[in-house]
């Protein structure tokens, strides 16, 4: 092959140019530029919430039952669980030689078949453990309370998702919303009620129910009763009991309803102010540098229209790490190329030095041609 190319220098030159062009094309369009490589692990997590349960109760009623349901599956290497107050987390390690995503479906099927979970247990969440890092974090700091800060952070999150370069964002540093209902003991005795009766009344009234469909000549009309309560005023109207005289006892008459946040000890501050964070991720073929640049441009555009007392900024911009690495590589490549040309021209002929120098970028372009087929990205590693 070498002898043939030596005799047919035109073909060799065409091959060289083709490698350079295709490599540059792959580098600009097919090879993602990310900060740290994101990858899936060989672990599958099963998480279940059971509010108000002790760690011992969680272990007996949830963790052990999940372990027993999946332990005989082929491909399961090791099972570990962690039971805490109101929460169970079971981690299942997949043996080498088995596809984790296929095991995910089998494990989910086994977990869904468990019908002995406590009634108050939330639906199990079965997921494949992944590791990913945000490209940039947007910060919202304000002089207002937690609720107002979160509401504006949600607006910023929705605005970011409208940017073409941004696809995945996540609100962090905030507590989830929660409706809490507290019924005093004297109210239960006054109206001869139990907590179970109140819970049953709320469950039966706060729900969306399908009523089938109505067939007409023009087509089918779907019937659905929409009664799911989401806000405090909607819960206050729920009927608990109807008296003999026709009067209705509503939830607001006997209970203290609080529309606030979960009782989770979360305290988020940025420069001493109440804050919320929005983590922006790079996915697919997106470039970490382009994603971060789009977010910074959005922040700059919003500065003139920010509410009084609200600060919008960013921190932990990991795209700067990528830029620094690229700058280092570019500088090293130029210095190396100059040294190759200088040294080989000094001891050999300039023509030989030139062709050796050309061989270096051609080798890199050849690697860029192969990288997409092996799923390799450009990152700081």
């Amino acid at each position: 092959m070498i002898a043939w190319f030596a005799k047919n220098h035109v073909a060799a030159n065409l091959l060289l140019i083709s490698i350079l062009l295709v490599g540059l094309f792959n580098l600009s369009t097919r090879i993602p530029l990310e900060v740290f490589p994101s990858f899936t692990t060989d672990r599958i997590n099963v998480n279940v919430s059971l509010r108000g349960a002790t760690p011992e109760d969680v272990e007996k009623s949830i963790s052990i039952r999940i372990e027993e349901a999946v332990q005989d599956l082929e491909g399961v290497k090791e099972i570990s669980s962690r039971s805490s107050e109101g929460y169970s987390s079971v981690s299942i390690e997949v043996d080498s030689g088995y596809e984790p995503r296929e095991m995910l479906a089998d494990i989910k099927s086994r977990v869904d078949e468990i019908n002995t979970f406590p009634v108050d247990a939330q639906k199990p969440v079965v997921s494949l453990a992944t590791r990913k890092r945000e490209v940039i974090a947007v910060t919202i700091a304000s002089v207002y309370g937690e609720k107002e800060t979160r509401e504006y952070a949600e607006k910023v999150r929705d605005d970011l998702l409208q940017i073409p370069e941004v696809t995945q964002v996540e609100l962090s540093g905030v507590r989830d919303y929660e409706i809490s209902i507290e019924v005093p003991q004297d109210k239960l005795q006054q109206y001869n009620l139990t907590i179970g009766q109140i819970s049953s009344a709320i469950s039966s009234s706060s729900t969306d129910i399908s009523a089938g469909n109505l067939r007409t000549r023009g087509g089918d009309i779907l019937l659905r009763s929409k009664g799911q309560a989401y806000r405090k005023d909607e819960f206050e109207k729920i009927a608990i009991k109807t008296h003999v005289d026709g009067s209705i006892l509503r939830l607001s008459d006997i209970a203290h309803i609080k529309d606030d946040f979960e009782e989770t000890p979360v305290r988020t501050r940025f420069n001493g102010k109440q804050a919320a964070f929005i983590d922006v991720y790079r996915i697919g073929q997106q470039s970490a540098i382009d994603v971060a640049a789009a977010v910074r441009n959005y922040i700059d555009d919003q500065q003139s229209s920010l509410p009084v007392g609200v600060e919008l900024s960013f921190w932990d911009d990991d795209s700067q790490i990528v830029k620094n690495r690229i700058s280092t590589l570019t500088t090293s490549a130029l210095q190396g190329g100059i040294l190759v040309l200088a040294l080989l021209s000094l001891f050999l002929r300039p023509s030989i030095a030139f062709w050796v120098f050309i061989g270096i970028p051609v080798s890199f372009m050849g690697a860029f041609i192969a990288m997409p087929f092996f799923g390799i990205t450009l990152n700081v590693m």
Side-chain angles (χ1 to χ4, degrees):
M1 183 66 70
I2 297 177
W4 187 85
F5 276 117
K7 296 178 181 178
N8 299 272
H9 57 276
V10 175
N13 292 336
L14 289 175
L15 178 62
L16 182 147
I17 294 173
S18 300
I19 292 175
L20 288 174
L21 293 177
V22 177
L24 288 172
F25 173 78
N26 281 3
L27 181 62
S28 59
T29 61
R30 299 187 59 192
I31 302 178
L33 179 63
E34 56 184 351
V35 184
F36 290 94
S38 55
F39 57 91
T40 58
T41 65
D42 56 354
R43 287 189 175 273
I44 297 172
N45 297 327
V46 183
N47 301 319
V48 184
S49 297
L50 181 60
R51 299 289 297 273
T54 63
E56 184 179 2
D57 293 336
V58 171
E59 181 182 24
K60 291 180 178 179
S61 60
I62 296 179
S63 299
I64 293 179
R65 295 179 183 179
I66 294 175
E67 293 175 4
E68 293 174 346
V70 301
Q71 64 182 356
D72 61 335
L73 271 176
E74 185 178 354
V76 174
K77 181 179 180 181
E78 183 179 317
I79 302 175
S80 61
S81 64
R82 181 176 180 272
S83 302
S84 57
E85 183 178 342
Y87 193 76
S88 169
S89 178
V90 180
S91 179
I92 304 164
E93 183 178 355
V94 179
D95 200 356
S96 59
Y98 290 86
E99 177 58 40
R101 293 196 176 277
E102 294 180 1
M103 290 294 299
L104 176 67
D106 295 337
I107 292 173
K108 179 173 174 50
S109 178
R110 288 290 185 92
V111 173
D112 290 341
E113 290 175 357
I114 301 175
N115 55 11
T116 54
F117 283 148
V119 178
D120 297 334
Q122 300 291 326
K123 184 178 179 180
V125 178
V126 185
S127 60
L128 185 64
T130 58
R131 294 182 181 179
K132 60 181 182 180
R133 288 188 50 152
E134 71 276 5
V135 173
I136 188 173
V138 180
T139 63
I140 298 92
S142 75
V143 297
Y144 305 108
E146 182 178 5
K147 185 175 181 180
E148 292 79 5
T149 303
R150 172 169 179 140
E151 288 176 350
Y152 190 78
E154 291 174 348
K155 175 187 176 300
V156 174
R157 177 195 61 189
D158 296 339
D159 290 345
L160 289 173
L161 289 174
Q162 301 300 318
I163 301 176
E165 292 84 1
V166 178
T167 303
Q168 187 177 79
V169 300
E170 182 178 313
L171 191 61
S172 63
V174 295
R175 295 186 293 174
D176 292 331
Y177 290 114
E178 180 182 73
I179 298 286
S180 62
I181 302 173
E182 300 176 358
V183 184
Q185 184 67 29
D186 59 336
K187 292 290 184 180
L188 295 176
Q189 295 175 354
Q190 178 182 350
Y191 294 101
N192 193 24
L193 292 171
T194 64
I195 293 295
Q197 290 175 322
I198 297 175
S199 176
S200 177
I202 294 174
S203 299
S204 59
S205 299
S206 176
T207 182
D208 293 340
I209 303 175
S210 174
N213 63 323
L214 182 65
R215 293 187 176 182
T216 65
R217 292 183 179 181
D220 290 354
I221 300 176
L222 301 179
L223 303 178
R224 186 174 181 84
S225 173
K226 303 188 70 174
Q228 179 67 50
Y230 294 100
R231 298 187 300 272
K232 177 182 177 180
D233 60 331
E234 295 174 344
F235 278 95
E236 290 176 342
K237 298 176 183 178
I238 293 178
I240 301 299
K241 188 177 182 180
T242 303
H243 299 291
V244 178
D245 59 358
S247 60
I248 299 176
L249 179 67
R250 301 190 181 277
L251 187 60
S252 58
D253 299 327
I254 62 173
H256 301 294
I257 305 173
K258 185 178 180 182
D259 189 352
D260 204 351
F261 297 95
E262 289 183 345
E263 296 181 357
T264 306
V266 175
R267 180 182 173 90
T268 307
R269 293 289 185 272
F270 188 79
N271 289 337
K273 298 180 180 179
Q274 179 73 43
F277 298 99
I278 301 175
D279 300 325
V280 183
Y281 297 90
R282 182 216 66 85
I283 64 172
Q285 298 294 318
Q286 293 175 339
S287 167
I289 295 178
D290 294 340
V291 171
V295 172
R296 291 196 302 269
N297 290 336
Y298 167 80
I299 293 174
D300 293 338
D301 295 339
Q302 294 296 313
Q303 295 303 316
S304 59
S305 60
L306 288 177
V308 178
V310 176
E311 295 179 5
L312 183 64
S313 58
F314 68 90
W315 79 306
D316 194 21
D317 184 1
D318 288 341
S319 68
Q320 294 296 329
I321 301 176
V322 181
K323 289 182 178 179
N324 293 336
R325 293 293 177 91
I326 292 176
S327 177
T328 301
L329 288 174
T330 304
T331 303
S332 300
L334 291 175
Q335 293 175 351
I338 293 172
L339 286 174
V340 168
L341 286 172
L343 291 176
L344 292 183
S345 298
L346 181 63
F347 293 101
L348 298 174
R349 294 193 303 272
S351 59
I352 296 178
F354 172 77
W355 287 111
V356 172
F357 167 76
I358 289 295
I360 297 174
V362 170
S363 300
F364 273 92
M365 294 303 114
F368 292 148
I369 294 174
M371 285 172 63
F373 297 101
F374 295 97
I376 302 175
T377 65
L378 291 178
N379 53 73
V380 299
M381 304 301 292

